[in-house]
Amino acid sequence: MTSGRRSVAEAVPAAPAGSKSEQAYALIKARIVEGTYSPGHRLVLARIAGDLGVSVVPIREAIRRLEAEGLVTFERNIGATVAGIDPTEYLYTMQTLSIIEGAATALSSPLLGAADIARARGVNEEMRACLEDFDPVRFTRLNQEFHSVLFEHCPNPHILDLVHRGWNRLASLRSSTFRFVPGRATESVDEHEALLRLIESQADADAIEKAARLHRSATLDAYLAQSSAADSS
């Protein structure tokens, strides 16, 4: 490739749970999502290995997984760096995710039991509590947990895989999204409750899919409006 950037043709298999590679992957990913490793940050393998007290091998394996997920890029003569925030990529990913997550939620809804609804509502109440002393990183983590409850029962594994890919692609942006449009967080919590009530009432699949899609699209719209205002100021 002329850019010198290495592409990943297929996903890298996950390491066994509890292994050094899995621990390194979880730690590095958390630091990217939380913003400790910001876009463009160079990931020096030897330094990270020293911090964790392990060899470079599990760090390299973890970096390859993160590269496959789109959170890390690798370029010759530079090495591994945290992927930058591309507004166009964010736009396309959110548009795609609104469609596939809406479908996954609609397909999953008939399979959700009372315990699932109670769990999702409990998570949403934790999100509401976050609003008083807003913590965008925790709010984002809870937001993903909430939506996971609603779509994880989707019986179509291909759609579910696409949803997971979309969330992984957004992972490096999620904390900055709610930082950028904090007012959207309050609306998001209210929309979650409305979506739960639709599912509880056994609304038809089209209504649930539409509500889930509009919920995702509203976050994108808020982000784009704020970006446009910032550019024009």
Side-chain angles (χ1 to χ4, degrees):
M1 297 183 183
T2 57
S3 65
R5 179 171 293 178
R6 187 176 69 201
S7 62
V8 179
E10 57 186 23
V12 179
S19 69
K20 291 180 179 179
S21 177
E22 181 65 29
Q23 292 172 15
Y25 164 80
L27 183 142
I28 298 169
K29 183 172 184 176
R31 289 182 178 178
I32 292 174
V33 173
E34 292 168 2
T36 302
Y37 293 161
S38 58
H41 177 87
R42 188 181 176 200
L43 299 168
V44 181
L45 274 61
R47 185 180 302 160
I48 297 173
D51 290 342
L52 298 182
V54 298
S55 71
V56 173
V57 174
I59 304 300
R60 184 178 293 114
E61 292 172 353
I63 294 296
R64 287 184 64 224
R65 282 183 64 187
L66 292 165
E67 184 186 0
E69 292 178 6
L71 298 181
V72 169
T73 59
F74 187 95
E75 296 187 39
R76 295 188 186 93
N77 302 320
I78 296 176
T81 59
V82 176
I85 297 174
D86 183 337
T88 302
E89 177 69 12
Y90 177 78
L91 169 65
Y92 293 159
T93 300
M94 285 289 281
Q95 288 176 335
T96 304
L97 193 55
S98 71
I99 296 170
I100 58 176
E101 189 178 321
T105 301
L107 289 170
S108 178
S109 61
L111 305 176
L112 294 174
D116 297 309
I117 298 295
R119 179 184 162 205
R121 182 164 277 126
V123 173
N124 200 43
E125 288 309 308
E126 288 187 64
M127 295 177 71
R128 194 180 300 279
C130 273
L131 298 174
E132 296 181 12
D133 186 15
F134 192 53
D135 179 349
V137 173
R138 182 165 182 266
F139 188 89
T140 293
R141 185 169 60 249
L142 290 169
N143 185 56
Q144 182 167 6
E145 184 179 346
F146 173 86
H147 284 287
S148 293
V149 175
L150 301 191
F151 66 64
E152 282 296 349
H153 288 292
C154 175
N156 186 319
H158 297 289
I159 292 178
L160 197 56
D161 178 63
L162 290 173
V163 174
H164 288 154
R165 287 173 182 266
W167 275 93
N168 285 335
R169 192 169 289 129
L170 287 174
S172 63
L173 303 174
R174 299 302 297 174
S175 62
S176 63
T177 302
F178 285 112
R179 281 196 182 101
F180 195 60
V181 284
R184 173 63 193 147
T186 300
E187 297 171 353
S188 183
V189 170
D190 292 338
E191 290 166 14
H192 284 175
E193 178 58 30
L195 185 55
L196 287 175
R197 289 178 181 175
L198 270 179
I199 295 172
E200 281 181 314
S201 68
Q202 299 182 340
D204 62 70
D206 287 343
I208 293 172
E209 181 173 354
K210 182 179 179 181
R213 286 181 64 175
L214 288 175
H215 169 65
R216 176 69 58 202
S217 297
T219 298
L220 173 60
D221 291 343
Y223 179 85
L224 293 176
Q226 186 69 21
S227 297
S228 178
D231 290 342
S232 60
S233 61

